[in-house]
Amino acid sequence: MNFQVVVLVGGASKTLTPLVSKDVPKALLPVANRPVLSYVLELLESNELKDLIVVVQGQDAAVKVGSWISSAYADRLNVEVATVAEDLGTAGALRVVAPHLVANDVMVVSGDLVTDVSPGALAAAHRRHDAVVTALLCPAPVSGASDSGASGGKDKAKKQVRYNIVGLDPTQQFLLLLAAGTEIEKDIRVQKSILRAAGQMEIRADLMDAHLYAFKRSALQEILVANEKFQSIRQDILPYLVRSQLRSELSSNYQSDMEESWHGKDTVQNIQTWRSQHQAGARLSFPDLHSLGFNDGNRKVNDHLPATRKSHKCCAYIASKSTYCARVNSVQSFCDITRDVIGDSSHLSGYSFSLQNNIIHPSAQLGIKTTVGPQCMLDEGSQLGDKCSVKRSVIGRHCRIGSNVKIVNSIVMNHVTIEDGCLVQGSIVCSNVQLQEHAVLKDCQIGAGYVVTAGSEYKAESFTKK
Amino acid sequence: MVQKKGSRVLSDDTDDIARMKLQAVLLADSFTMKFHPITLERPKVLLPLVNVPMIEYSLAWLESVEVEEVFVFCCSHSQKVKEYLEKSKWSKAPNFSVITIESHDSTSAGDALRTIYNQGVIHGDFILVSGDTVSNACLRKALQEHKDRRKKDPNAVMTMLITHSKPSSLTHQTLIGTDEVFMAIEPKTKQLLYYEDKANLSKGILSLDHLLVSGSPLNLHNNRQDCYIDICSQEVLSILIDNFDYQHIRRHFVKGLLVDDIMEYKIFTHEISSYAARVDNFRSYDTISKDIIQRWTYPFVPNVHFSENCPHSVLERQGIYKELDVRQSHTAKVEAFTVVGKDTSIGHNTKISNSVIGQGCIIGHNVLIKGCYIWGNVTIEDNCKLSYAIVCDEAHVSEGAVLEPGVILSYKVVVGKQLVVPAYSIISLCPQPSQLDSDEELEYVDSNAVVIESPSKAEFEPDCSKASIFGHGYIWSHTDGGVREEFWRQSVAPIPLEKLEELSCIMHAVESDLNQDFDSLPVSGELQHDSECIDCDDGDADYDLDNDFEKEVEATFLRAVNEVPGVNEDHVILEVNSLKLSFNVSYADCAGALFLAVMKLALLDNHSTNKEFLASTNRVISRWKDLLKHYVKTVDDEIEVIMKFEEMCSESTKEFSPIFTSVLDRLYSEDIASEDAILTWASEKEGADESDKVFVNQASTFIQWLKEAPEEDEEDD
């Protein structure tokens, strides 16, 4: 397909503390006992996109991610791992790897994406329209539907999140407007010239930028060189491309490229046909427009159009409502996604579920009268004592769990020790944590290696090892 | 029992519909001057459109959509409209009553509807159209939708009919010569959320209220045309009564309702695919005539006898319609899309194309007529050349005359032999009214000039260059819209190619300007919504706001000082208070900003030495202390003032730094800064950097004195 894929992987993420630490970079955070990054990589692999550059923030993280990739995907994917400084934005990261890009089109995807949207379909749409950029937009999740188990307060908070304001043409293929969807009380500014060209614009606030883009390589490189201030793809490059689409500044080398020499002309023509289609769709009251000289003149003028008038196309690929698309970018989303992966959207996990709708590794040991409910996962070598109850939770590898332990709606990572009589509810327990006897955790996040003392009770708190 | 009940409800419902007569209001006055000078002599609705008075199209359509009662509102030339209607078959049509309502002091559609409200004749939903509407749309669905919506939501007061039409990307006007319209419509409910018709070309940005897009998707349209056909409920009239300043239905009423979020009245749209347009200007006159000839308006086309005033005509091939008794020379050529009226004679070798010729015209030999509208009893002598002109009744074009594109000859105008009438000339027997004239006609003109926001009325000067040497008539200067260069937009003549080229150049210029506009925006952080960016603070924006506020306060203050000799402090206070509200700042901010302004005033006075400077500063402070005290109420405010002063001394106006202590002393003695405030300020600075403490150190003796002073006071007590 001649697409190169750049996977952008964050290092330490503030929003994911205490789950992310030096030992566990964001990319390797286990979602249903698989590193987050594996979801993207496997999706790409299944779409025959095997030419990858993984850009990792931070040296330490890069080493860890690199070694994990080489062990897991050595013979399956052609992966290069590049390191960039911690504080670089997404555009900055792209700028570092841009000189190494050779394919005609480049796909840029965020490493924390969990989705079943086919990148191949997006790539095809991108090629079909000969677009400069194609962005994947997903319908924003309807809050409360998939995560009925989450506490009410968090649901409400989620509802208030405003997604980007996106303007689309009537066919929903072209991206005409991109505006901030923040709470800032600002009017939405629509360029009339673009609206005129398209005739009609659908403005939606219910779409989410999924951080999966296809770029024309030559254009991307040019923008990155010409605009050194650009920090982020989403905040800088994409808005820039969208707002300048009718007066493209993508210039000489873009045009002088042998392949693209006809391209500029072609897009102008395309936009014109695009327009004339709209005109044709308008009231066809004048079969003999010549007598009016109206459109006739119009066309002639268009022929005279100065050569400087160029345009490029920005496209949107809108995922259908039934697809799953989410990013692991906060503790809440991490919980939601984990729950979805082992629950409603179990096809994402790649596991096959038992009849009881759960996964219990054969090497896991369960004590007497211990129950593991549906939508649960119990991985290799974990042991549960007697009279335990696990509901809608994920338990990682080699955990030792005592008797009379209740784990509900929680995520327990690897090598965790939970002693007798503990209650873990709505919480995330990271690797190597020890919960001493009769500890009670409700809606807590426990960072790696922390020890919760016996009999302590915590609610909605977050701990990290000092 | 239950069944019975059910059936009764049903019958009630049908009764309701049966009882409610569908009413319509037809405005037989457009309240504009776009058809001047023709409309000085005859009302616009009676002007012939393809040889049938315009009002016939509107009434015939209203009859076809099952309207039972039409109120024809007449204003200018009301007598003529009344007479016409009385004579016509409409006065005796069964199940269709036409009632005229007369008013002479109405200057707008808003006034007209208020008059109708006062008559108390409207009992339910009604259709609002103007008398120049040509349509064949079926309204049943729109009416039903409107009714259903009303049942659910009594605030849905109006349904606007729109149709698909793409304005030209160059001229930004539609095929019928009206300005492009930007509309925002909610696709599901069809509610209208935004409407902009007076598009400002220099403004390339359309600003939408962010609240509009909070929920469901929204469609922005540039490819819709307003048909100016509205289904209104009774509330529309009462809203107009409540808002007596609403004149124009679109610019005031619709916009007012869309902006008003208290009453929550809603306007909806209904898109029709059939024909509907209004003869708004000469270009729409041309376009709609052609549409009629090309039968887009079927059944309202020339060879269908849709009203008694329609002449009988026969459709020949290529869209040529001929009425009875047309005497055409065998060598004359009548080409495609032409209508020739009764009793008209056409001479040898004459060529007519794309034109409408009225009844009883005499057209000589070797005449060339292209795209013209020639009304009744016009005489055109031999060898004339007419292109894209409107020639009104009984006009006379003498031998060899040439009418260039866009010419309008009003009634009985005579064009002399061999005369070339330049493009876009308007010639009438009536002199162009000057501004000083005070006849009734002009009053109406004047008040309309306000309504249509005509930028200049200065061009009303009477043009005495009578064409009488060559013929009869005054040449009118173009006044409509006030922009002389723009008359080609709404003329019957096609837009010249040069204009289009010019426009395309302008468009590029505008767009590159826009480009710069956008580029001047901060490049990064435009979309600060990423979850990663949550903790990006927007302190910068706050700072700018502060600065703006200070500038405004300073400007207000200086205005007060400079403009009025005996300045009233109350006025300053009032203005500053309003600024405080609009910028949402605290009293302390006001105090700081005002203090800054006062001190800057001191700076304006000439001064050579520090001593003089101090004196002038002291003078200014004493002069304005009352004003300052108004805002300096608490210790915090006082501290704010001191901090501001300190900031001034160290940053913006270093001139004050040598006299800092003296001024502080003065502030203390004038009770603007209390002892507590100064001491608090000093103690706050205690832990600060050495560089921050410059002024505290400078004032140390004063502070020391202050610290000791209270003890003395106590001793005094």
Side-chain angles (χ1 to χ4, degrees), chain B residues 64 108 122 126 158 217 233 235 311 374 376 384 395 469 471-472 528 545 562 597-598 601 709:
Chain B
S64 76
S108 68
I122 298 290
F126 64 97
M158 189 161 127
S233 32
E235 279 89 342
I374 293 166
C384 288
I469 315 157
H472 290 294
Q528 278 181 356
L545 206 68
N562 294 332
V598 171
L601 184 68

Side-chain angles (χ1 to χ4, degrees), chain B residues 215-431:
Chain B
S216 49
L218 182 76
N219 274 350
L220 265 184
H221 293 278
N222 177 234
N223 55 355
R224 294 293 185 274
Q225 179 187 308
D226 192 345
C227 303
Y228 297 99
I229 297 169
D230 303 324
I231 300 167
C232 308
S233 32
Q234 261 182 306
E235 279 89 342
V236 169
L237 296 178
S238 39
I239 294 167
L240 279 165
I241 291 286
D242 292 344
N243 299 279
F244 52 85
D245 55 337
Y246 283 177
Q247 304 288 339
H248 194 281
I249 293 297
R250 290 290 179 270
R251 266 160 229 156
H252 301 125
F253 177 80
V254 169
K255 278 201 177 157
L257 253 56
L258 292 179
V259 170
D260 185 2
D261 44 6
I262 297 165
M263 300 304 286
E264 291 188 332
Y265 287 122
K266 290 176 191 142
I267 297 172
F268 290 84
T269 58
H270 177 84
E271 191 171 336
I272 51 168
S273 51
S274 40
Y275 194 89
R278 237 193 94 191
V279 184
D280 176 69
N281 51 52
F282 286 119
R283 182 166 305 287
S284 35
Y285 182 83
D286 173 66
T287 309
I288 293 170
S289 298
K290 291 208 160 83
D291 289 347
I292 292 169
I293 294 168
Q294 288 163 14
R295 308 179 76 77
W296 291 95
T297 59
Y298 187 85
F300 308 115
V301 293
N303 66 332
V304 174
H305 190 74
F306 60 88
S307 87
E308 68 161 10
N309 287 7
C310 294
H312 290 273
S313 60
V314 180
L315 173 62
E316 297 176 8
R317 60 186 172 76
Q318 286 189 313
I320 300 168
Y321 298 82
K322 278 186 191 155
E323 290 172 24
L324 302 172
D325 301 325
V326 172
R327 294 181 302 278
Q328 182 186 347
S329 155
H330 286 289
T331 51
K333 267 168 95 181
V334 175
E335 293 181 357
F337 303 117
T338 299
V339 176
V340 184
K342 205 179 155 194
D343 294 328
T344 289
S345 67
I346 301 170
H348 304 306
N349 291 322
T350 290
K351 211 173 140 190
I352 302 172
S353 60
N354 280 309
S355 300
V356 177
I357 315 288
Q359 300 177 347
C361 294
I362 301 162
I363 295 167
H365 310 302
N366 292 317
V367 175
L368 199 67
I369 297 175
K370 199 168 116 192
C372 289
Y373 296 91
I374 293 166
W375 297 359
N377 302 317
V378 172
T379 309
I380 295 169
E381 293 181 7
D382 299 352
N383 302 319
C384 288
K385 257 189 176 172
L386 288 78
S387 46
Y388 308 110
I390 293 180
V391 182
C392 294
D393 290 351
E394 293 173 52
H396 189 104
V397 182
S398 305
E399 198 186 330
V402 176
L403 302 188
E404 288 188 351
V407 167
I408 289 157
L409 298 184
S410 190
Y411 304 98
K412 297 181 187 170
V413 164
V414 179
V415 174
K417 280 183 185 173
Q418 310 296 338
L419 187 73
V420 178
V421 181
Y424 303 111
S425 307
I426 299 175
I427 301 171
S428 167
L429 284 188
C430 304

